[in-house]
Amino acid sequence: MTRSSGLIPTLGGGYYTDPAIFAAEQEKIFERRWFCAVRAADLPSAGDFRTVRIGRESVLVSRGRDGGLRAFLNVCRHRGARLCTEESGTVKRAFQCPYHAWTYGLDGKLIAAPNLANLPGIDRSEYGLHAVHLREWLGYAWACLATDPPSFEADVEGAVQERLGDLESIERYGLGKLSVGRRITYDVKANWKLIVENFMECYHCATIHPELTEVLPEFTDGYAAQYYVGHGAEFGQDVDGFTIDGGPGFDRLDGVANEQDRRYYAITIRPQVFVNLVPDHVIFHRMYPLAPDRTVVECDWLYSEEVVASGRDVSRSVELFHRVNEQDFDACERCQPAMASRAYRGGGVLMPSEHHIGEFHSWLLTQFRK
């Protein structure tokens, strides 16, 4: 099929199964672009850390004594041992390699090593941890492994502007001041691109998302929330909140404008972030591609500090998108085996309403040529 038929060709199945292509994506996409690593509030105190897989690297994100966040490659400069072997934790004063006890300050500087004092000519500043570029935005720490990172304003903020028309629209939700009311981690047996493609379209919504289309009836027409710049899908007439039964949720977040009330906005920030905005909370997905057929997705449900601190029940709003996630990931896992089929060697097709997936494929191929 060609574009002239009204249908748009997709990538071939090998793009979802070939280890060489996955390795190229790790190098040319995830290790060169801004990657949303951790929720900043998960590291509230000096010495708190989390290790994150970015591309082929383990990255250590930690809170310094000055209150700022920093990121380093999680590799000891002595013999290359993994510095922090736990996914998260807290150190009192410094990071110490469990192999030969080389010790680094929270700022990444080498501060001690056995017998190092016997080598007075050694410049310790040359043997600190390798720093990784880091920016904080929307309450998350975004890291970039590139020596010369792309513009954060163009690469990350630009994706939001392209979707909503401006940055003010997302800033009204105050993501940096919200609290995590629930976090669910999904281990999806599917390629990361299948998950991105699924999130970007709603052609499937009437088929597999009965609860979602009850709340957002316009999704039954197959047009995704990302189809129009600035468009938010409107709640149904008898729907009071973005909950599993359409019942009331919580008070509207401070700052959310009247025109944003009773609407749902979805945003894709390539390569691995989805943001879902509703009046009383935000749902924030981060993907961690681990293999051609395995992707870990960490999903945060963010509410006002008052809602979380008071212990209010968030289960009815969590349950709605948790079901959406499970339905979506099940669909992606059904597609993954077929990516290796001879029937999909040349790919499939997209409907015109899925044209933005075609644009995602074009973007992907452009990254390979860089």
Side-chain angles (χ1 to χ4, degrees), residues 104-357:
Y104 304 86
L106 300 183
D107 58 1
K109 294 179 181 178
L110 176 65
I111 58 177
N115 305 321
L116 191 64
N118 298 330
L119 301 171
I122 297 297
D123 183 356
R124 297 186 186 189
S125 65
E126 294 184 3
Y127 295 95
L129 299 176
H130 285 290
V132 172
H133 297 281
L134 185 140
R135 291 281 298 268
E136 290 188 57
W137 191 52
L138 303 180
Y140 288 85
W142 306 69
C144 184
L145 274 61
T147 303
D148 296 310
S151 165
F152 188 87
E153 290 72 20
D155 207 41
V156 178
E157 295 179 0
V160 175
Q161 288 180 297
E162 183 179 344
R163 166 67 186 96
L164 298 180
D166 55 50
L167 287 181
E168 182 183 0
S169 294
I170 196 170
E171 289 168 351
R172 291 173 182 154
Y173 292 82
L175 272 75
K177 297 180 180 179
L178 301 183
S179 298
V180 178
R182 186 74 56 82
R183 172 173 292 160
I184 299 177
T185 300
Y186 306 86
D187 198 332
V188 187
K189 297 178 180 64
N191 186 271
W192 68 278
K193 296 185 294 298
L194 290 176
I195 299 173
V196 173
E197 294 160 12
N198 173 277
F199 183 75
M200 294 180 73
E201 56 93 356
C202 209
Y203 190 45
H204 67 276
C205 287
T207 307
I208 71 171
H209 293 321
E211 298 88 358
L212 183 65
T213 52
E214 281 291 321
V215 174
L216 304 172
E218 71 179 68
F219 276 8
T220 58
D221 295 331
Y223 290 95
Q226 302 183 66
Y227 191 71
Y228 305 105
V229 175
H231 176 71
E234 190 171 3
F235 292 5
Q237 284 188 346
D238 299 326
V239 171
D240 293 318
F242 198 74
T243 60
I244 189 62
D245 57 5
F250 304 107
D251 292 339
R252 192 168 81 189
L253 294 170
D254 293 340
V256 172
N258 290 335
E259 61 269 22
Q260 294 171 308
D261 197 15
R262 294 181 54 79
R263 289 187 178 272
Y264 162 84
Y265 299 85
I267 307 163
T268 302
I269 303 177
R270 296 186 298 241
Q272 46 87 239
V273 170
F274 310 144
V275 187
N276 309 270
L277 306 171
V278 293
D280 65 334
H281 66 282
V282 174
I283 307 155
F284 199 101
H285 295 71
R286 285 166 287 152
M287 292 193 301
Y288 301 90
L290 300 182
D293 58 355
R294 184 185 175 207
T295 308
V296 169
V297 182
E298 193 166 89
C299 185
D300 290 343
W301 280 260
L302 306 171
Y303 301 86
S304 71
E305 291 180 353
E306 185 276 329
V307 165
V308 176
S310 64
R312 297 180 68 180
D313 184 9
V314 300
S315 61
R316 288 168 53 253
S317 55
V318 169
E319 181 61 23
L320 175 57
F321 224 87
H322 174 53
R323 288 197 194 180
V324 170
N325 283 339
E326 290 189 318
Q327 292 156 353
D328 281 339
F329 299 153
D330 179 67
C332 293
E333 289 182 344
R334 288 199 305 274
C335 288
Q336 182 63 40
M339 297 298 101
S341 169
R342 68 186 67 186
Y344 208 77
R345 191 171 296 154
V349 293
L350 302 168
M351 293 292 287
S353 63
E354 302 171 293
H355 67 90
H356 40 305
I357 296 177

